[in-house]
Amino acid sequence: MKQDSPYDVDVLRKEFPILDKEVNGHPLVYLDSAASAQKPRAVIEAQREYEAHFHSNIHRGVHTLATKATEAYEGVRAKLKNHINASKREEIIFTSGTTDSINLVAGTWGRANLKKSDTIVLTRLEHHSNIVPWQILAQEKGFAIEVVEIKENGELCENSLKEKLALSPKIVCVSHVSNTLGTINDVKNITKQAHQVGALVLIDGAQAAPHKTIDVQVIDCDFYAGSAHKMYGPSGVGFLYGKHELLCQMPPCRGGGEMIESVSFEKQTTFNVPPYKFEAGTPNLSGVVGYGAAIDWINSLGLDNIAAHENSLLEYASSKLLQIEGLRLIGTAKSKASVISFLVDGIHPSDIGTLLDQLGIAVRTGHHCTEPIMTKLGIPGTVRASFAAYSTFSEVDALVAGVERAVKMLR
Ligand code: PLP
């Protein structure tokens, strides 16, 4: 099945060495990009080039390689600042990914500011990464966690949000895009409402950054977190955006080299300014360099083009899958990104996933690190197919044929 796309997907796929692979005797059909996207040659090469020719530790040396490595690393910080339209490069902290970024906010801002009588607000849609760090801190501090509920279609319930905001929470933590249901939350509007009651806003952008243009100044959020490996970049790298005045007030949470101004046994040790205050130790240098290449790659294609292509795939896949008897889509929000979760009556999702794997089709099954969604919907998990810039309509056809075959075998 061939459909219109803003770019030539077949040509683009040649940039991804892994997409040529066979799995279990079949051409790989990779529909698990929400878990981790594949990397174009430009990213793989940028990392290799760095390791082979430029590697040295950053910030500390006066020698040529140390200067080049520092320039490369700080250059990516500037790139990321532009990519999400932060107002200053100091607002970008490199982390190991979204999970690390959220733990950083909980461990610094949260530990310094939350007390027993406080309330924070999460939503039912959150990934465990945006739940558990807050629960761990709540065990220590004793504050209350309130949850904004979802509607049947997977959208956040506006009344529930209003009720929770009426409790005057200290922070609202919300995903931009749900990794399980694909729901795109109106984070600008949520942020505006949260600010009206004096709450800060942290946005988990792990699933939004690969698909949407992010403008943190337009959203006006206080924190925004993302992961490189969901954006065609390396794993073990990500970012935390934080408003500069907040980062200046926040204490560090990890001590070590580079995050200090002066260390002394005789006087008080003093700390560096943001972002360095939060970047103790030697970071994932080649990973950051690869992340820079991934951002260039995304921008050369254009996020609007990627989103247009993925939206056509989503529409096509939804209509095709719904023709299978007993199949229902889980998550039908009006505004959705490129994730499609489904269940087939009477068949466990992991059985479908296992049979699809035998056909070389990679999908994810289970709770997708969002157990509270499963509890609410009363389901054990879902089968989740997710799309990226390189996904094709014929891969959707393969998925549909594979599910039909699995259903025949398992019924
Ligand atoms: N938040 C969401 C919405 C996600 O989908 C994921 C990963 O799947 C994460 C957070 C965690 O990202 P990472 O494992 O890169 O830290």
Side-chain angles (χ1 to χ4, degrees):
M1 172 82 203
K2 193 99 182 158
Q3 303 236 337
D4 281 343
S5 171
Y7 50 88
D8 189 331
V9 185
D10 293 334
V11 171
L12 180 106
R13 285 174 69 84
K14 293 195 175 33
E15 297 181 44
F16 290 78
I18 205 169
L19 297 180
D20 256 353
K21 249 185 116 56
E22 290 209 336
V23 169
N24 297 326
H26 297 271
L28 169 65
V29 173
Y30 188 74
L31 298 175
D32 197 19
S33 296
S36 202
Q38 298 298 350
K39 296 170 196 53
R41 208 168 272 112
V43 170
I44 298 167
E45 274 306 305
Q47 282 189 270
R48 200 199 60 78
E49 178 79 3
Y50 170 82
E51 296 290 13
H53 299 292
F54 300 108
H55 173 68
S56 172
N57 212 333
I58 54 165
H59 295 144
R60 299 158 204 200
V62 290
H63 61 80
T64 304
L65 282 185
T67 308
K68 282 197 167 168
T70 304
E71 278 168 9
Y73 182 83
E74 291 301 329
V76 178
R77 197 190 306 276
K79 212 168 261 185
L80 204 43
K81 172 227 165 233
N82 292 336
H83 192 67
I84 64 166
N85 195 30
S87 62
K88 294 184 171 69
R89 50 177 288 291
E90 291 81 0
E91 295 183 319
I92 306 291
I93 300 164
F94 284 117
T95 65
S96 71
T98 307
T99 305
D100 193 28
S101 302
I102 297 170
N103 274 280
L104 195 158
V105 178
T108 57
W109 178 86
R111 179 158 289 118
N113 290 285
L114 295 173
K115 54 186 185 310
K116 197 168 180 355
S117 55
D118 288 333
T119 297
I120 72 161
V121 167
L122 310 181
T123 88
R124 174 71 63 177
L125 286 177
E126 299 318 301
H127 188 280
H128 296 165
S129 312
N130 202 16
I131 300 174
V132 184
W134 299 108
Q135 290 178 327
I136 292 172
L137 189 65
Q139 277 174 10
E140 182 187 318
K141 297 277 185 172
F143 57 83
I145 298 178
E146 292 286 335
V147 180
V148 177
E149 285 302 343
I150 51 173
K151 301 188 259 190
E152 272 290 291
N153 67 358
E155 291 174 357
L156 286 178
C157 175
E158 295 89 350
N159 286 341
S160 177
L161 174 66
K162 286 203 163 55
E163 273 171 29
K164 304 303 174 190
L165 290 180
L167 300 169
S168 300
K170 283 278 172 68
I171 190 165
V172 174
C173 305
V174 59
S175 48
H176 199 162
V177 172
S178 158
N179 63 306
T180 297
L181 305 180
T183 312
I184 302 176
N185 289 317
D186 184 352
V187 287
K188 185 175 170 208
N189 185 264
I190 294 171
T191 302
K192 189 171 164 209
Q193 292 186 59
H195 283 172
Q196 278 164 359
V197 299
L200 296 186
V201 175
L202 176 147
I203 297 174
D204 171 351
Q207 295 295 339
H211 310 292
K212 288 178 71 62
T213 303
I214 310 295
D215 188 325
V216 289
Q217 293 191 68
V218 167
I219 298 169
D220 195 29
C221 55
D222 301 284
F223 301 106
Y224 196 102
S227 296
H229 71 103
K230 313 244 189 226
M231 300 168 69
Y232 310 96
S235 51
V237 182
F239 73 91
L240 174 69
Y241 157 83
K243 281 185 179 161
H244 191 242
E245 63 274 21
L246 274 169
L247 296 183
C248 290
Q249 290 157 17
M250 280 159 49
C253 65
R254 273 191 291 259
E258 228 13 71
M259 51 74 69
I260 51 87
E261 182 187 51
S262 166
V263 176
S264 170
F265 284 125
E266 288 72 33
K267 294 181 293 183
Q268 178 107 24
T269 289
T270 52
F271 304 122
N272 208 336
V273 292
Y276 311 109
K277 178 164 71 167
F278 303 106
E279 292 182 0
T282 305
N284 180 352
L285 298 167
S286 64
V288 167
V289 170
Y291 195 10
I295 293 168
D296 288 343
W297 186 86
I298 287 176
N299 289 336
S300 70
L301 194 56
L303 267 167
D304 288 348
N305 288 330
I306 295 175
H309 174 64
E310 291 171 345
N311 287 341
S312 316
L313 287 169
L314 188 63
E315 222 172 278
Y316 180 65
S318 303
S319 72
K320 284 287 214 177
L321 282 169
L322 279 171
Q323 288 167 23
I324 297 173
E325 207 194 314
L327 186 145
R328 67 192 159 107
L329 299 182
I330 310 294
T332 51
K334 284 190 274 304
S335 183
K336 263 187 82 166
S338 66
V339 161
I340 186 158
S341 265
F342 60 91
L343 279 175
V344 182
D345 287 347
I347 303 178
H348 198 278
S350 63
D351 293 339
I352 295 179
T354 305
L355 285 174
L356 289 176
D357 178 56
Q358 288 169 13
L359 302 170
I361 303 169
V363 293
R364 188 134 298 231
T365 61
H367 55 57
H368 319 298
C369 298
T370 55
E371 272 193 81
I373 296 181
M374 303 304 151
T375 307
K376 175 79 180 177
L377 300 179
I379 54 178
T382 71
V383 182
R384 182 189 75 182
S386 51
F387 307 120
Y390 44 70
S391 305
T392 66
F393 290 90
S394 45
E395 287 183 311
V396 173
D397 290 338
L399 169 72
V400 174
V403 175
E404 278 168 344
R405 190 169 150 168
V407 169
K408 268 196 201 116
M409 288 174 72
L410 294 165
R411 275 234 170 96

